[in-house]
Amino acid sequence: KIYPKHDREVAKIHNLIAAVHFQNSNYTEALNSYQESIKTLIADFNPKNSHENPLPDNLIADNTLIDAFDGKASCFSLQHKHKEAISNYEFSFRVNELIQRVYSSQISKINQQTANRNRTEKILDLLHQNYLDTKDKTNIEIAFLATEKSKAQLLSQERGAKAKENQNDSLVIYK
């Protein structure tokens, strides 16, 4: 073995294999490979099937993990399993929040914001389709919350950036 069992490079390979299955419309195999990627990155995660996700407290800050959750969401979306797709996009958002705490470069933050906007648009499309299928108004509420959360993240980042700028300003009073 070249890499240890829980190595990030192994998880990336699982994601690449999943992408090939996805391109060939073999969504079940793609889901299995994305799940292997997640299992590789999260040592204590032993799912019974490809629908299961780790506990939120076990998530780690890793872009490969986001790729796996986004990939699973895309597979579920094309299988018309909207709730599962939305759930996996939400896991991507959680991992992204962890990453934002770690990364400080402006370009990384911009890339993450772009990915979040795209992910939010996909969730909104799924919620809209779910609403059309079920007429369940909770889909509208969830869509509203998703857009508000997306805006709140941007505002929070902006406020944090301004606080850093003013940190050496003797005219600013901190509480």
Side-chain angles (χ1 to χ4, degrees), residues 12-129:
K12 285 181 177 183
I13 292 168
H14 285 300
N15 280 350
L16 290 171
I17 293 168
V20 170
H21 288 304
F22 183 87
Q23 290 298 318
N24 290 321
S25 302
N26 190 349
Y27 305 123
T28 302
E29 286 302 315
L31 282 168
N32 290 336
S33 292
Y34 284 126
Q35 196 73 326
E36 285 298 317
S37 176
I38 296 168
K39 282 172 38 179
T40 300
L41 290 168
I42 301 175
D44 295 336
F45 180 53
N46 296 307
K48 295 175 185 72
N49 57 52
S50 61
H51 289 69
E52 196 175 332
N53 283 326
L55 297 172
D57 290 343
N58 292 342
L59 296 175
I60 60 170
D62 194 308
N63 285 327
T64 305
L65 195 55
I66 289 178
D67 293 341
F69 284 124
D70 282 350
K72 283 180 64 177
S74 294
C75 289
F76 285 130
S77 178
L78 290 171
Q79 292 176 329
H80 303 287
K81 297 178 180 177
H82 300 147
K83 288 185 180 183
E84 288 90 345
I86 292 166
S87 173
N88 279 278
Y89 281 130
E90 288 173 349
F91 270 88
S92 290
F93 279 120
R94 288 179 179 157
V95 173
N96 183 63
E97 288 172 8
L98 295 172
I99 289 172
Q100 286 180 348
R101 293 180 197 159
V102 176
Y103 292 154
S104 60
S105 81
Q106 192 64 25
I107 192 70
S108 295
K109 289 181 181 182
I110 290 170
N111 289 340
Q112 290 298 327
Q113 287 173 353
T114 301
N116 279 344
R117 187 184 69 240
N118 293 338
R119 200 172 293 117
T120 300
E121 289 173 4
K122 289 176 183 177
I123 287 176
L124 293 175
D125 286 343
L126 289 167
L127 289 166
H128 180 252
Q129 187 60 48

